[in-house]
Amino acid sequence: MSLYQVQKLIYQLNRDPRTRQRYADERDAVLGDYDLTQEEIGALAKPDIGLLYVLGVNGQLLMHFAALHRIEWTDYLERMRQGLKEYGPVREGVYAATGYEGVEAHDARLKAERETR
Amino acid sequence: MSLYQVQKLIYQLNRDPRTRQRYADERDAVLGDYDLTQEEIGALAKPDIGLLYVLGVNGQLLMHFAALHRIEWTDYLERMRQGLKEYGPVREGVYAATGYEGVEAHDARLKAERETR
Amino acid sequence: MPLVYCGACSHAPGITGRAERADTQTRQALETAFRRMGDEMRATRPDALVVIAAEHFANFFMNNMPAFAIGMADSYEGPIEDEAFLRIRRTTVPGNKALSRRLIETVMQTVDVAYAEEWKFDHGISVPLHFLTPDYDLPIVPANINCQGPPLAPLARAWAFGEALRRAVDAVPERIALIGTGGLSHWPATPDSGKINHEWDREFLRRWSANDREALLSYTDAEIYREAGQGGFEIRTFIAAAAAAGGATGRIDFCEPVPIFAVSCTLGSFELPPAQQNTPSS
Amino acid sequence: MPLVYCGACSHAPGITGRAERADTQTRQALETAFRRMGDEMRATRPDALVVIAAEHFANFFMNNMPAFAIGMADSYEGPIEDEAFLRIRRTTVPGNKALSRRLIETVMQTVDVAYAEEWKFDHGISVPLHFLTPDYDLPIVPANINCQGPPLAPLARAWAFGEALRRAVDAVPERIALIGTGGLSHWPATPDSGKINHEWDREFLRRWSANDREALLSYTDAEIYREAGQGGFEIRTFIAAAAAAGGATGRIDFCEPVPIFAVSCTLGSFELPPAQQNTPSS
Ligand SMILES: [Fe+3]
Ligand SMILES: [Fe+3]
């Protein structure tokens, strides 16, 4: 029920250099400013990108939170997939997974289509 | 031209206990976070309520900034009047002074009207 | 189901914060009228109270100033002001996020309202609630009209907002009460604080009681600013309440100029058809 | 005077941030098309460019989420994202506060837009500007439609926003260009990033090129979500641009699915009557 609070913290981190600095210096104090469950605190602190994704954090917030932790794009996508396996489907919001062949397969298919055109 | 920045700082102070704490602890650093002229910095730091009023700070922001500095209501009104004498009319915004007989005279007049009703 | 109560009232911070500086008789009459309004409103057995307010930089600033906003949370905090300044204890007020969301979705069909998943009440809501729901036991849906930072939405859009809220309220199964809260003519927090154009207020309330849409919307902001001060921009909340009343006429229960409170303290309500108060909608 | 240019384009962060991971030929064709669009737009000698964007929590959050917003500042900063992530240098982009205010005041007559005296551009504006105005020498008026955090305004209101912007633009003496920028079908920042419903995109663009209001507004959000993903909500920006084009038909200059950029990269523009491009309004 405190997804709003999780997202607000990530929003502030993404937007505000001072919050980022405080998060680096005294993470627990920053986490304490928000009304979070233990599961949420754990997911943020680790960070468990897969769990945050399943909790319903909007991808437009989450991808920058991942980047803040130097998690590269492909790794970010992979961690969300792992989250789905570990914790089940996305519980809230509109960023649910719907199934996809993957960029490489998709690229190959498009290329084949172009060649037969 | 940085009235927006002056008002934003006051808005944050009014709203956010952490900003108030920082303002108490390291005022110059907080002032440095905003894009302010020397006149504005001086008016905020003193604080010169009269000048802030003349610069155009919205009264709904300014009255709480005055209260933060333990300036009592009647004193707050008086400082704005002094500001008008010292710096001339309000330069921006919609909180200009338009002339008023004063609460005491007004009260006395209303009382007289009630008695003759 | 149809709106069960619709009214409007003042919210000046002086009413609580500088209470003892007003004439005792006037003050007691005002507080009695406020409590009677609360009794009447609660007698309609509302499930929630929509408050159309005009806040003063507690939540909304010129970095992102919505013309209209509606809260969407299960609780709110207020007042944001210093408790000693306002003399109202800070507390948590119940909301109803799911109800808010249903109302917002209907309002959005015609009025482009911002939604807010948090909201700190300032005196604009806390002063009315202090008298109307002193136990803070009725869920509140806060709504806001920007009356502070120009450019402001035109009066016709404030009317549209009231109409949209009424359509939204009528579409939910809950019993909903609604109040608008704002000042009429006043020059608050300026050196002219206390100045009141009581004649102007009376004429405004004449139009309001008659629910005369055309006359209410005929004011220009330039005229309001000249005759009723920057505080007069808050008539938008009264206008939205009149629109929500859907043509019903109003009754002025109290209207006295109180200089130390900086406004004509005003309480009024609309005579909704009894059917709307007691029977479920078709 | 009447709008001098009206178009729409993609803004996916991958276009700059993951540029080298796309097929070289496709990438070069896209960049060429983007630059050509910039040349065409600048050839209309605009005094300012209105960008109808769909930002991604750079400025607006659920604490106060406006359905529609317009910037009102003399300069803006962007991109807010890590420069290495987006591979666009952070810079100050000129605005025009006075022009913004005049536009906002007209828009407010019919659409309840929030105004914003500061605004940090994210990839939603910074990627288009990187190609269209690489010298950042054209004043920008940023506008936003909430496409991220439901409840979202209905498509009909996005259309109303485009119409209101057009009325506002036509009412000022300046020469104004306008672009909408958003993705069509896409599932960005999810494990399905790269998924594209190209058939759906083509059908949408058919309706868009025809400026077929009824067909454009016939989508429901449930249908968009199912067929085009949460990223598809951004078609609101294309729809507002179509409304601003005032009935003119459009031309698709580029439309290729690029999985690593997560969208069908799309560029299009409306054929405004030449009179509107060259003569002052009556
Ligand atoms: Fe007020
Ligand atoms: Fe986007």
Side-chain angles (χ1 to χ4, degrees):
Chain A
M1 277 305 288
S2 47
L3 176 61
Y4 174 76
Q5 295 283 326
V6 176
Q7 295 196 126
K8 188 179 175 192
L9 169 53
I10 296 178
Y11 170 68
Q12 297 289 3
L13 284 171
N14 289 349
R15 231 188 102 75
D16 178 28
R18 188 179 312 280
T19 306
R20 277 199 293 277
Q21 190 57 53
R22 273 191 73 220
Y23 199 70
D25 295 343
E26 36 166 14
R27 195 182 61 197
D28 290 352
V30 176
L31 289 169
D33 289 346
Y34 297 81
D35 191 10
L36 302 167
T37 65
Q38 279 309 316
E39 184 182 43
E40 290 160 346
I41 290 174
L44 286 162
K46 196 173 178 185
D48 188 339
I49 299 295
L51 179 52
L52 291 169
Y53 174 64
V54 166
L55 289 176
V57 174
N58 186 300
Q60 300 293 343
L61 291 163
L62 190 56
M63 71 171 177
H64 299 295
F65 185 71
L68 176 70
H69 290 86
R70 298 171 197 284
I71 294 165
E72 194 272 330
W73 179 250
T74 310
D75 186 17
Y76 161 67
L77 299 176
E78 187 49 36
R79 286 177 190 229
M80 289 190 288
R81 288 186 200 111
Q82 287 302 325
L84 292 170
K85 279 183 203 153
E86 199 165 337
Y87 305 107
V90 170
R91 300 177 196 166
E92 213 173 319
V94 291
Y95 273 68
T98 55
Y100 175 46
E101 63 196 297
V103 168
E104 292 73 17
H106 191 175
D107 263 334
R109 185 163 55 79
L110 289 170
K111 202 173 174 205
E113 281 170 22
R114 266 201 299 273
E115 278 162 8
T116 58
R117 240 189 251 163
Chain B
M1 278 305 289
S2 47
L3 176 61
Y4 174 77
Q5 295 283 326
V6 176
Q7 296 197 125
K8 188 179 175 192
L9 168 53
I10 296 178
Y11 170 70
Q12 296 290 2
L13 284 171
N14 289 349
R15 231 187 103 74
D16 178 28
R18 187 179 312 279
T19 305
R20 277 200 293 278
Q21 190 57 55
R22 273 192 73 218
Y23 199 69
D25 296 344
E26 36 165 15
R27 196 182 60 196
D28 291 351
V30 176
L31 290 169
D33 288 347
Y34 296 80
D35 190 10
L36 302 166
T37 65
Q38 278 309 315
E39 184 181 41
E40 290 160 347
I41 290 173
L44 286 161
K46 197 173 177 185
D48 187 339
I49 299 296
L51 179 52
L52 291 169
Y53 175 64
V54 167
L55 289 176
V57 174
N58 186 301
Q60 301 292 344
L61 292 164
L62 190 56
M63 70 172 180
H64 298 296
F65 185 71
L68 177 69
H69 290 86
R70 297 171 197 285
I71 295 166
E72 194 272 330
W73 179 249
T74 310
D75 185 17
Y76 161 67
L77 298 176
E78 187 50 35
R79 285 176 191 229
M80 287 190 288
R81 288 186 200 109
Q82 287 302 325
L84 292 170
K85 279 183 202 152
E86 199 166 335
Y87 305 107
V90 170
R91 300 177 199 167
E92 212 173 321
V94 292
Y95 273 68
T98 55
Y100 176 47
E101 64 196 299
V103 167
E104 292 74 17
H106 191 175
D107 262 335
R109 185 163 58 75
L110 289 170
K111 201 171 174 205
E113 282 171 21
R114 267 200 299 273
E115 277 161 9
T116 59
R117 240 189 254 165
Chain C
M1 60 171 292
L3 193 65
V4 297
Y5 180 88
C6 188
C9 66
S10 304
H11 66 225
I15 294 174
T16 52
R18 298 187 291 275
E20 81 293 346
R21 289 171 65 177
D23 171 79
T24 311
Q25 216 178 320
T26 308
R27 173 193 167 183
Q28 282 173 350
L30 170 62
E31 294 185 357
T32 303
F34 245 132
R35 294 223 170 76
R36 194 177 305 128
M37 182 178 177
D39 291 344
E40 263 187 40
M41 185 268 290
R42 282 180 280 104
T44 64
R45 297 176 287 114
D47 298 308
L49 171 64
V50 174
V51 182
I52 304 178
E55 67 124 50
H56 317 76
F57 304 113
N59 302 278
F60 306 119
F61 187 65
M62 282 71 84
N63 68 327
N64 174 18
M65 181 57 87
F68 306 106
I70 298 181
M72 193 170 83
D74 279 323
S75 67
Y76 304 97
E77 238 185 60
I80 190 176
E81 288 97 342
D82 191 77
E83 292 174 285
F85 168 84
L86 200 59
R87 304 209 201 139
I88 296 178
R89 179 100 45 98
R90 191 163 300 145
T91 188
T92 298
V93 181
N96 182 332
K97 183 174 177 170
L99 171 63
S100 277
R101 178 152 180 163
R102 282 180 281 132
L103 295 174
I104 289 165
E105 285 176 346
T106 302
V107 169
M108 274 187 167
Q109 299 302 312
T110 52
V111 172
D112 312 300
V113 72
Y115 68 84
E117 291 198 36
E118 61 182 287
W119 194 304
K120 290 177 199 283
F121 293 170
D122 73 7
H123 66 267
I125 292 183
S126 290
V127 168
L129 295 189
H130 175 75
F131 294 108
L132 300 178
T133 61
D135 298 331
Y136 302 108
D137 49 359
L138 183 60
I140 303 298
V141 176
N144 197 71
I145 302 179
N146 171 27
C147 302
Q148 279 300 331
L152 308 178
L155 301 188
R157 294 304 299 170
W159 184 274
F161 185 44
E163 283 186 325
L165 273 166
R166 176 58 182 271
R167 270 193 298 273
V169 160
D170 288 357
V172 298
E174 288 90 344
R175 301 174 65 87
I176 310 285
L178 180 150
I179 58 163
T181 168
L184 307 183
S185 71
H186 63 311
W187 287 256
T190 74
D192 305 326
S193 177
K195 181 171 167 176
I196 294 164
N197 187 343
H198 195 51
E199 290 313 306
W200 193 90
D201 294 348
R202 270 205 280 255
E203 169 58 20
F204 176 81
L205 290 173
R206 192 193 61 70
R207 300 179 188 189
W208 187 81
S209 315
N211 209 332
D212 184 342
R213 177 183 185 279
E214 202 181 334
L216 284 169
L217 301 188
S218 71
Y219 296 103
T220 66
D221 273 343
E223 181 187 349
I224 294 168
Y225 187 60
R226 190 178 63 239
E227 305 290 332
Q230 80 291 119
F233 294 147
E234 291 186 350
I235 60 169
R236 283 170 170 78
T237 61
F238 272 64
I239 287 174
T249 54
R251 189 185 75 201
I252 305 304
D253 295 309
F254 192 90
C255 183
E256 286 289 332
V258 186
I260 192 63
F261 298 166
V263 288
S264 288
C265 292
T266 309
L267 302 168
S269 57
F270 289 98
E271 315 274 2
L272 300 182
Q276 295 192 346
Q277 290 183 28
N278 298 307
T279 61
S281 81
S282 57
Chain D
M1 60 172 293
L3 192 64
V4 297
Y5 180 89
C6 189
C9 66
S10 305
H11 66 225
I15 293 174
T16 52
R18 297 188 291 275
E20 83 291 347
R21 291 170 66 177
D23 171 79
T24 311
Q25 215 178 320
T26 308
R27 174 195 168 184
Q28 283 172 351
L30 170 62
E31 294 186 356
T32 302
F34 245 131
R35 295 225 169 76
R36 195 178 304 128
M37 183 179 177
D39 291 343
E40 263 188 38
M41 186 268 290
R42 283 180 280 105
T44 65
R45 295 176 289 113
D47 297 308
L49 171 64
V50 175
V51 183
I52 304 178
E55 67 125 50
H56 318 76
F57 304 113
N59 303 276
F60 307 118
F61 187 66
M62 282 72 85
N63 68 326
N64 174 17
M65 181 58 86
F68 305 105
I70 298 181
M72 192 170 82
D74 280 323
S75 67
Y76 304 97
E77 238 185 59
I80 190 175
E81 287 96 343
D82 191 75
E83 292 174 285
F85 169 82
L86 201 57
R87 303 206 203 141
I88 295 178
R89 177 100 46 99
R90 192 163 299 145
T91 189
T92 298
V93 181
N96 183 333
K97 183 173 177 171
L99 171 63
S100 278
R101 178 152 181 164
R102 282 180 281 131
L103 295 174
I104 289 165
E105 285 176 346
T106 302
V107 169
M108 275 188 166
Q109 299 303 312
T110 50
V111 172
D112 312 301
V113 71
Y115 68 84
E117 292 197 35
E118 61 182 285
W119 193 303
K120 289 176 200 285
F121 293 170
D122 73 6
H123 67 267
I125 293 184
S126 290
V127 168
L129 295 190
H130 174 77
F131 295 107
L132 300 178
T133 61
D135 298 330
Y136 302 109
D137 50 358
L138 183 60
I140 303 299
V141 175
N144 197 72
I145 303 179
N146 171 27
C147 301
Q148 278 301 330
L152 309 179
L155 300 189
R157 294 302 298 169
W159 184 273
F161 185 45
E163 283 187 325
L165 272 167
R166 175 58 182 269
R167 271 193 297 273
V169 160
D170 288 357
V172 298
E174 286 90 345
R175 301 175 65 85
I176 310 285
L178 181 149
I179 58 163
T181 166
L184 307 182
S185 72
H186 63 310
W187 288 256
T190 74
D192 305 326
S193 177
K195 181 171 167 177
I196 295 164
N197 187 342
H198 195 51
E199 290 313 306
W200 192 90
D201 294 348
R202 270 206 280 255
E203 170 56 21
F204 175 80
L205 290 173
R206 192 194 61 71
R207 300 179 189 190
W208 187 81
S209 314
N211 209 332
D212 183 343
R213 176 181 186 280
E214 202 181 332
L216 285 169
L217 302 187
S218 71
Y219 296 103
T220 65
D221 272 343
E223 181 186 348
I224 294 168
Y225 187 58
R226 189 179 63 239
E227 304 290 332
Q230 80 293 117
F233 294 147
E234 291 188 348
I235 59 168
R236 283 168 170 78
T237 62
F238 272 64
I239 287 174
T249 54
R251 190 186 72 204
I252 305 304
D253 296 309
F254 192 90
C255 183
E256 285 291 331
V258 185
I260 192 64
F261 297 165
V263 288
S264 288
C265 293
T266 308
L267 302 169
S269 56
F270 288 99
E271 315 274 1
L272 300 181
Q276 295 192 349
Q277 291 184 27
N278 298 307
T279 61
S281 83
S282 57

